[in-house]
Amino acid sequence: RQRQMCIRDRSPDDPTFVQVQDKVQFGQPVCIIEAMKIMNEINAEISGEVVEILVENGQMVDYGQELFAIKKN
């Protein structure tokens, strides 16, 4: 099984895509997953408030792993 890296910002000089208490809209980018040098933008699946971030920037994650807890509007 291939491991992937969660990237929470576009570059080291940029702020993270989202933080706890941020409001997000369906389809809004929340992070990037890098697998085999291919960057895949991950979008919010629901609109709501980010209540918890479950991974650190640069952390290796598995396919299907939860990355954020979002309280639906």
Side-chain angles (χ1 to χ4, degrees):
R1 172 143 87 200
Q2 180 181 343
R3 302 280 292 177
Q4 307 163 58
M5 182 183 300
C6 180
I7 302 169
R8 296 193 41 231
D9 51 21
R10 291 194 189 278
S11 76
D13 297 329
D14 291 334
T16 58
F17 285 93
V18 295
Q19 298 178 25
V20 171
Q21 297 185 334
D22 282 356
K23 305 284 192 242
V24 295
Q25 298 298 314
F26 173 81
Q28 176 181 335
V30 293
C31 70
I32 294 173
I33 296 293
E34 183 268 319
M36 296 174 47
K37 304 295 180 195
I38 298 173
M39 304 297 184
N40 296 294
E41 196 169 78
I42 305 301
N43 300 320
E45 295 178 349
I46 61 171
S47 295
E49 178 183 344
V50 178
V51 294
E52 187 176 4
I53 297 172
L54 306 171
V55 295
E56 297 295 325
N57 192 35
Q59 180 177 331
M60 300 303 286
V61 296
D62 291 313
Y63 179 81
Q65 180 176 337
E66 290 187 13
L67 307 174
F68 301 89
I70 298 175
K71 181 179 171 186
K72 191 174 182 178
N73 285 347

